[in-house]
């Protein structure tokens, strides 16, 4: 018997012209970890939400076919009647807490199921331990870090001891450490309790090695399930090591840095660029900070940061959560007053906040851009056209921003700020929740802006992004600049080096290897 | 215990404290005593605030109350005339057309009027401070769990709705910053309200939908209404009809019918609550019992308004202050102040806190946090 069976499922959201699910027919085997991959808007969330009947019971719309979860059809059962067999965790953990205390929130599902008190007590303790959050039991979810909050949200679904857990992009909003904690916890649940896991992910380098099988979604259709290595090898948004393997003809293409190293040892690569090469002479500085100190809520967040952003540069700001990345960007963007230090420079700056939802208010994507220009008393149809094109938003220009997927919204927010014509763009965690196509569009736009005489500063956890588009990297730690220099030399020493650098130093990206191969 | 953070009080005890404190504000509206009660509330928040968004919303709540107080003073001063006493200043006046009430706005602003309005507004700030302190210290979910089970669903809806207040305050901050970021740090005031309103409402909407789905996926309201629930529903409806009819009868002067319908209505209401409480299959996770200390807190806190009320009966003139001519400072007496100090009773758990076994556990948490 299969755990969750999709039988000829087609579904369209109310008022949407196209099908979100189009003839989906496959089985989730009991006890497996199934990875669902696909670009933004391909229907991953819809597929997962159909597993416990949130689609169509909560969403409305036209639904044909049948989904059977552990013998119960979602046609005749509501999500609440499936709570004991399918646990569901949505993408945004923040909106999932009913009770403002972790322990009581975990017990919420048990109270609803009507478990006897002693069983409830035991189940809560076990669940807290299974996810390693027992020490957070009395905390309010609002005060937890991203990774802790996501694990608490999973605990809220897991407490019912469901046979299957469905996780919609559980790590897309997290930093690498938080993402690793969450995935480790999920793997442990699968191994120890035999819980069937269905999860969707964009960042395949972490999730693919953990999965038993994977499926690709495209325009509402689901491909045949197969081993993750085979699926990912043919997937356009594959991790860097896999694409490197594809380029160099490694069979089978590796999924992890470990696999790739075995091939790399035998590979004959041309000698790469000089890792100690000094950076090209920087242009005129557009923004200069000297001895920047910022206090927030009585804590020193920045303790004397000095740096320049020059014309033509793309600067990546790296560092763990709470190292002061966002604060540095907000200070440079003139959104908060530094306690001490100066910010000078001839360039204009603009900051793009982490959460695009705080920014978007217009009825269409195009209006979102023209509104910015209107506020600045300018009209520049050319700039609107240029930024829509640069960030690949032409196709969605007349759509409502809120109807777009996360990565697309993020790009709209960037375009809406960038269209104002600032020289220096400050992007805060721009790749959060982005799929491969969105990331490629962003990288392209960032490079273009820098080459056109502007500059970009990115605060990011995404070292692959830094490797591909940064000319310089700055590492922050505890409010200080820990390392600074050309991206290659800074990333080379770091524990979170990009994959290609770890496999085939001194190369940073697959594209560099490709160019070197062609030249030889 | 162990369930709650050590040294904390039961939600019912906090409810008792809040009722006593707000009654005290009403009974002793002299600005001196209101100021004392606000200080007590602030101290209670400082010591007992939970790690919740409501606790962080306390300063915002006080700010909002003060803003409203100022508005009230300004409105009263502008629309009240013809009182004796010194004139503070004179503003240009104009009379509204009859259709809008026909009263005069502006003119000479008298000091007693401003002071009287300020004293009244200060009472509102006092009540808001008590309300804010209650919200900052109480666990709303525990409070809902302590009510009869029939009210569980409706109570949960209320606390979920309440949680949107601190959430919205957070959204307002980030939306305001995003609006400035859009124009490179420059503030464009024209049309800002609309630009901010849309993202705030849409974020709230998305969160509401997310929460509803999460509750559904976690089995909330599973199983649907039982026959007993349905019966309880009919009883509730019947009780409403009877009470409404009783009210109409009372207005119409038919006292006997009114009394009869009143009894029937109350009976049906009790029946509805009892039935619904029995009908709910839900069990509570680690329900917390009221301890002797919790009851003690309620008794001590209740002594504050009782003492004040007795002092009022005994003719203590310092409790109320009226800005009359000639102007006089509000007077301060020790006895009412002592009664208000009884509202500090929640702080007594500071002594209890030392002897509970959770202290070493906390230190361990700190060590873990440091290691991480």
């Amino acid at each position: 018997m299969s755990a969750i069976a999709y039988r000829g499922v087609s579904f369209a959201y109310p008022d949407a012209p196209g099908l979100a699910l189009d003839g989906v027919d496959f089985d989730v085997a009991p006890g497996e970890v199934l990875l669902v991959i696909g670009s933004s808007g391909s229907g991953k969330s819809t597929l997962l939400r159909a597993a416990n009947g949130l689609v169509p019971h909560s969403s409305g719309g036209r639904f044909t076919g049948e989904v059977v979860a552990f013998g119960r059809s979602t046609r005749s059962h509501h999500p609440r009647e499936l709570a004991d067999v399918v646990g569901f965790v949505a993408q945004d953990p923040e909106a999932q807490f009913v009770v403002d205390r972790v322990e009581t929130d975990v017990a919420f599902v048990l109270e609803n199921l009507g478990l006897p008190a002693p069983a409830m007590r035991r189940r809560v303790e076990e669940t807290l331990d299974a996810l390693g959050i027992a020490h957070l039991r009395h905390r309010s979810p609002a005060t937890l870090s991203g990774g802790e909050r996501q694990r608490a949200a999973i605990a809220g679904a897991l407490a019912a001891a469901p046979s299957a857990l469905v996780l919609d992009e559980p790590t897309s909003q997290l930093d690498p450490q938080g993402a690793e904690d969450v995935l480790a916890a999920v793997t442990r649940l699968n191994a120890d309790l035999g819980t069937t896991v269905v999860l969707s992910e964009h960042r395949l380098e972490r999730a693919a090695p953990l999965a038993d099988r994977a499926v690709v979604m495209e325009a509402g259709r689901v491909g045949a399930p197969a081993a993750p290595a085979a699926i990912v090898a043919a997937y356009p948004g594959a991790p860097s090591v896999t694409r490197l393997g594809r380029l160099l003809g490694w069979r089978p293409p590796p999924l992890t840095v470990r696999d790739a190293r075995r091939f790399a040892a035998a590979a004959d690569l041309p000698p790469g660029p000089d890792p100690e090469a000094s950076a090209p002479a920087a242009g005129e500085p557009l923004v200069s900070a000297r001895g920047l100190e910022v206090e927030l809520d009585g804590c020193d967040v920045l303790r004397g940061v000095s740096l320049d952003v020059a014309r033509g540069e793309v600067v990546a700001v790296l560092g763990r959560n709470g190292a002061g990345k966002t604060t540095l960007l907000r200070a440079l963007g003139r959104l908060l007053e530094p306690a001490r230090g100066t910010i000078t420079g001839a360039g204009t700056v603009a900051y793009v906040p982490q959460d695009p939802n705080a920014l978007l208010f217009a009825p269409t994507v195009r209006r979102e851009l023209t509104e910015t220009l209107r506020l600045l008393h300018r009209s520049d149809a050319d700039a609107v056209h240029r930024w829509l094109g640069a960030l690949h938003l032409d196709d969605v220009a007349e759509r409502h921003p809120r109807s777009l997927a996360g990565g697309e919204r993020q790009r709209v927010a960037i375009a809406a700020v960038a269209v104002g014509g600032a020289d220096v763009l400050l992007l805060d965690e721009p790749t959060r929740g982005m799929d491969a196509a969105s990331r490629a569009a962003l990288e392209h736009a960032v490079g273009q802006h820098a080459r056109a005489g502007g500059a970009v500063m990115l605060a990011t956890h995404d070292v692959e992004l830094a490797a591909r588009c940064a000319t310089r990297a700055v590492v922050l730690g505890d409010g200080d600049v820990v390392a600074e220099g050309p991206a290659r030399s800074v990333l080379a020493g770091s524990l979170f080096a990009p994959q290609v650098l770890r496999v085939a130093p001194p190369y940073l990206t697959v594209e560099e290897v490709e160019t070197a191969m062609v030249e030889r | 215990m162990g369930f709650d953070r050590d040294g904390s009080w039961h939600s019912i005890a906090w409810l008792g404290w809040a009722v006593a404190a707000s009654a005290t504000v009403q009974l002793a509206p002299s600005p001196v005593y209101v100021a004392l009660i606000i200080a007590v509330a602030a101290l209670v928040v400082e010591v007992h605030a939970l790690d919740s968004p409501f606790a962080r919303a306390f300063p915002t709540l006080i700010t909002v109350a003060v803003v409203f107080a100022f508005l009230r003073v300004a409105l009263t001063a502008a629309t009240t005339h013809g009182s004796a006493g010194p004139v503070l200043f004179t503003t240009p006046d104009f009379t509204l057309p009859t259709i809008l009430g026909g009263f005069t706005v502006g003119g000479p602003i008298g000091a007693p009027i401003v002071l009287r309005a300020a004293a009244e507004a200060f009472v509102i700030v006092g009540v808001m401070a008590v309300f804010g302190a209650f919200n900052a210290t109480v666990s709303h979910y525990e409070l809902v769990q302590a009510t009869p089970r029939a009210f569980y669903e409706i109570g949960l809806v209320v606390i979920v709705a309440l949680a949107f207040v601190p959430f919205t305050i957070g959204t307002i901050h980030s939306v305001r910053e995003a609006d400035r970021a859009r124009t490179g740090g420059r503030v464009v005031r024209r049309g800002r309200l609309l630009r901010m309103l849309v993202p705030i409402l849409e974020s709230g909407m998305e969160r509401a939908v997310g929460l509803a789905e999460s509750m559904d996926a976690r089995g909330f309201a599973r199983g649907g209404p039982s026959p007993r629930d349905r019966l309880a529903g009919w009883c509730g409806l019947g009780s409403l009809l009877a009470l409404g009819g009783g009210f109409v009868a009372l207005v119409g002067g038919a006292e006997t019918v009114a009394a009869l319908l009143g009894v029937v209505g109350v009976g049906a209401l009790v029946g509805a609550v009892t039935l619904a409480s029995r009908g709910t299959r839900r069990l509570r996770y680690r329900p917390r019992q009221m301890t002797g200390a919790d009851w003690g807190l309620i008794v001590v806190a209740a002594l504050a308004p009782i003492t004040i009320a007795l002092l009022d009966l005994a003719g203590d003139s310092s409790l109320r202050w009226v800005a009359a001519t000639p102007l006089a400072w509000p007077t301060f007496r020790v006895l009412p102040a002592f009664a208000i100090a009884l509202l500090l009773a929640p702080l007594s758990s500071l002594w209890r806190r030392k002897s509970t076994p959770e202290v070493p556990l906390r230190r361990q948490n700190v060590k873990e946090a440091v290691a991480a």
Side-chain angles (χ1 to χ4, degrees):
Chain A
M1 196 188 101
S2 59
I4 302 170
Y6 290 80
R7 296 276 168 266
V9 178
S10 290
F11 173 74
Y13 283 100
D15 306 325
L19 287 174
L21 295 178
D22 185 1
V24 172
D25 205 283
F26 80 108
D27 288 284
V28 180
E32 75 170 337
V33 178
L34 180 80
L35 176 67
V36 180
I37 62 181
S39 55
S40 292
S42 61
K44 297 192 300 295
S45 287
T46 314
L47 180 80
L48 299 190
R49 281 150 48 86
N52 71 339
L54 282 174
V55 165
H57 289 297
S58 163
S59 63
R62 297 184 308 272
F63 187 89
T64 55
E66 190 171 39
V67 177
V68 181
F70 300 91
R72 296 183 209 166
S73 165
T74 62
R75 285 193 157 273
S76 50
H77 290 76
H78 280 265
R80 51 182 173 270
E81 288 149 343
L82 291 164
D84 54 334
V85 287
V86 181
F88 180 82
V89 183
Q91 200 170 351
D92 177 14
E94 246 154 294
Q96 295 185 55
F97 296 100
V98 179
V99 190
D100 200 36
R101 174 204 233 119
V102 170
E103 177 182 12
T104 328
D105 189 76
V106 169
F108 180 72
V109 64
L110 301 175
E111 290 186 326
N112 291 329
L113 293 177
L115 243 66
M120 236 195 269
R121 188 71 210 278
R122 216 189 69 209
R123 201 69 86 60
V124 168
E125 297 298 325
E126 286 172 358
T127 309
L128 292 175
D129 282 339
L131 288 155
I133 52 169
H135 59 293
L136 307 172
R137 62 193 309 157
H138 297 309
R139 296 269 297 274
S140 156
T143 64
L144 302 180
S145 76
E148 290 169 341
R149 202 181 302 161
Q150 186 65 272
R151 280 185 287 156
I154 295 175
L158 184 75
S163 312
L165 258 185
V166 178
L167 310 168
D168 191 1
E169 292 187 23
T171 68
S172 70
Q173 311 289 316
L174 306 181
D175 60 294
Q177 184 59 52
E180 251 161 56
D181 289 348
V182 167
L183 288 179
V186 169
T187 325
R188 200 164 59 231
L189 295 177
N190 173 259
D192 294 355
L193 306 175
T195 311
T196 309
V197 177
V198 183
L199 80 163
S200 63
E201 265 297 334
H202 283 310
R203 307 292 306 276
L204 302 177
E205 53 267 45
R206 283 192 293 256
L210 310 175
D212 296 311
R213 292 197 304 166
V215 291
V216 181
M217 280 206 82
E218 207 181 325
R221 286 195 194 81
V222 174
I231 294 268
V232 169
Y235 185 65
S240 302
V241 272
T242 312
R243 290 191 297 127
L244 185 69
R246 237 187 263 159
L247 175 73
L248 299 174
W250 296 342
R251 291 278 151 230
L255 267 186
T256 62
V257 170
R258 235 170 73 113
D259 295 346
R261 281 219 182 94
R262 278 206 302 274
F263 289 108
D268 171 34
L269 287 173
D274 178 11
E276 298 306 320
S278 56
E284 151 212 10
L286 290 169
V287 177
S288 307
R290 290 288 169 270
L292 207 57
E293 288 181 32
V294 176
E295 278 176 32
L296 288 177
D297 300 328
C299 295
D300 296 334
V301 185
L302 293 181
R303 314 161 186 258
V305 173
S306 298
L307 54 81
D308 294 318
V309 182
R311 213 174 266 290
E313 273 193 318
V314 179
V315 183
V317 183
L318 305 164
R320 77 177 80 78
N321 273 346
K325 300 191 296 295
T326 295
T327 309
L328 174 63
L329 258 61
R330 287 170 64 206
L332 292 178
R334 316 275 151 87
L335 291 174
L336 46 83
E337 255 337 281
R340 266 171 294 283
T342 57
I343 301 172
T344 54
T348 48
V349 289
Y351 169 78
V352 184
Q354 222 173 73
D355 179 14
N357 297 333
L359 193 79
L360 304 177
F361 68 94
T364 68
V365 170
R366 189 185 300 280
R367 283 283 299 282
E368 207 67 71
L369 273 68
T370 51
E371 281 295 317
T372 305
L373 289 172
R374 199 182 58 80
L375 292 176
L376 295 166
H377 304 294
R378 301 221 323 260
S379 65
D380 190 349
D382 183 50
V384 174
H385 180 74
R386 205 173 59 237
W387 278 105
L388 285 178
L391 286 161
H392 296 197
L393 292 167
D394 288 318
D395 294 342
V396 296
E398 306 308 326
R399 296 254 314 264
H400 194 288
R402 293 260 168 180
S403 72
L404 303 175
E408 289 169 323
R409 281 190 203 186
Q410 191 83 44
R411 279 186 284 149
V412 175
I414 294 169
V417 174
V419 77
D423 298 319
V424 185
L425 291 179
L426 309 164
L427 309 183
D428 196 354
E429 213 59 70
T431 53
R432 249 179 26 149
M434 272 196 182
D435 63 350
S438 276
R439 280 159 49 114
L442 172 78
E443 283 162 19
H444 178 71
V446 162
Q448 208 174 35
H449 181 71
R451 280 192 300 277
V456 180
M457 194 166 195
L458 312 146
T460 188
H461 288 298
D462 186 348
V463 283
E464 302 292 331
L465 173 78
R468 272 199 294 274
C469 62
T471 55
R472 199 150 62 87
V474 175
V475 180
L476 289 186
D478 199 19
D480 291 322
V481 174
V482 177
E484 191 195 353
R488 193 184 314 280
S489 63
V490 171
L491 292 175
S494 124
L495 193 60
F496 292 108
Q499 289 191 323
V500 175
L501 186 67
R502 281 193 264 174
V503 173
Y507 293 103
L508 269 181
T509 63
V510 180
E511 288 72 23
E512 274 185 2
V513 179
E514 197 171 2
T515 317
M517 298 282 286
V518 170
E519 277 170 8
R520 188 164 70 167
Chain B
M1 277 209 338
F3 169 58
D4 227 294
R5 304 200 319 178
D6 53 322
S8 77
W9 301 95
H10 196 283
S11 299
I12 300 288
W14 278 120
L15 188 64
W17 176 86
V19 169
S22 46
T24 313
V25 177
Q26 311 283 350
L27 288 169
S30 166
V32 189
Y33 300 130
V34 174
L36 257 182
I37 294 170
I38 292 176
V40 167
L43 201 60
V44 165
V45 170
E46 189 60 38
V47 173
H48 278 289
L50 294 175
D51 168 29
S52 79
F54 291 103
R56 290 191 294 283
F58 182 71
T60 314
L61 195 70
I62 298 298
T63 315
V64 169
V66 169
V67 168
F68 272 103
F70 272 109
L71 272 178
R72 195 190 144 103
V73 171
L75 276 176
T76 316
T79 53
T80 315
H81 313 279
S83 148
V87 170
L88 279 181
F89 51 86
T90 309
T91 62
D93 60 308
F94 57 92
T95 306
L96 291 174
T98 334
I99 196 160
L100 287 175
F103 51 83
T104 308
V105 177
I109 309 281
I113 290 168
V114 171
L115 285 175
R116 201 174 300 160
E120 280 166 14
F122 198 45
V123 172
I124 299 174
V125 176
V127 173
M128 287 292 266
V130 171
F131 177 71
F134 172 66
N135 274 299
T137 50
V138 81
S139 158
H140 294 82
Y141 192 70
E142 191 185 288
L143 191 65
V144 167
Q145 285 206 319
T147 54
R149 284 180 198 181
F151 298 122
Y152 175 79
E153 259 90 5
I154 186 77
L156 191 66
V157 169
V158 170
I159 60 166
V160 164
L162 269 179
F164 272 80
V165 176
F167 169 77
T168 307
I169 292 172
T171 315
I172 290 171
H173 282 298
S174 59
V175 167
R176 180 185 285 249
E177 180 171 294
D179 188 56
R180 270 174 64 204
R182 190 175 201 131
T183 46
R186 210 160 57 84
V187 180
V188 182
R189 289 194 197 283
R190 233 180 64 196
R192 184 164 69 160
L193 193 64
L194 183 75
R195 292 201 302 281
M196 284 180 58
L197 215 56
V198 174
I200 291 168
L201 291 180
E202 282 184 338
S203 299
M205 197 58 206
E206 278 178 7
R207 184 183 144 101
V209 170
L211 196 60
E213 289 194 348
S214 166
M215 287 169 72
D216 199 10
R218 286 156 76 190
F220 182 65
R222 192 181 147 90
S226 66
R228 211 196 289 254
D229 291 331
R230 290 215 180 81
L231 190 61
W234 286 113
C235 272
L237 183 66
S239 116
L240 278 181
L241 285 175
L243 289 174
F247 182 71
V248 171
L250 195 66
V251 171
E255 268 105 11
T256 329
V257 180
L260 209 66
L261 282 173
V263 169
V264 170
V266 170
L269 192 65
V270 170
V273 171
T274 321
L275 273 174
S277 299
R278 289 216 190 117
T280 313
R281 285 163 303 279
R282 63 165 314 99
L283 289 157
R284 289 164 196 176
Y285 173 70
R286 299 181 80 179
R288 193 172 164 197
Q289 305 299 327
M290 289 279 286
T291 61
D294 289 322
W295 289 114
L297 173 66
I298 295 181
V299 170
V300 174
L303 279 178
I306 291 172
T307 314
I308 300 268
L310 288 176
L311 286 173
D312 196 15
L313 284 178
D316 188 328
S317 59
S318 79
L319 293 177
R320 280 158 221 286
W321 174 75
V322 181
T325 36
L327 284 172
W329 288 104
T331 39
F332 173 84
R333 294 216 180 114
V334 178
L335 224 52
F338 177 75
I340 288 168
L342 289 176
L343 292 173
L344 286 170
L347 303 189
S348 67
S349 68
L350 286 176
W351 287 278
R352 268 205 290 163
R353 191 176 278 195
K354 281 182 188 132
S355 57
T356 51
E358 197 146 348
V359 174
L361 197 97
R362 272 202 185 158
R363 273 195 213 115
Q364 191 191 332
N365 286 352
V366 171
K367 263 186 215 153
E368 275 171 19
V370 169

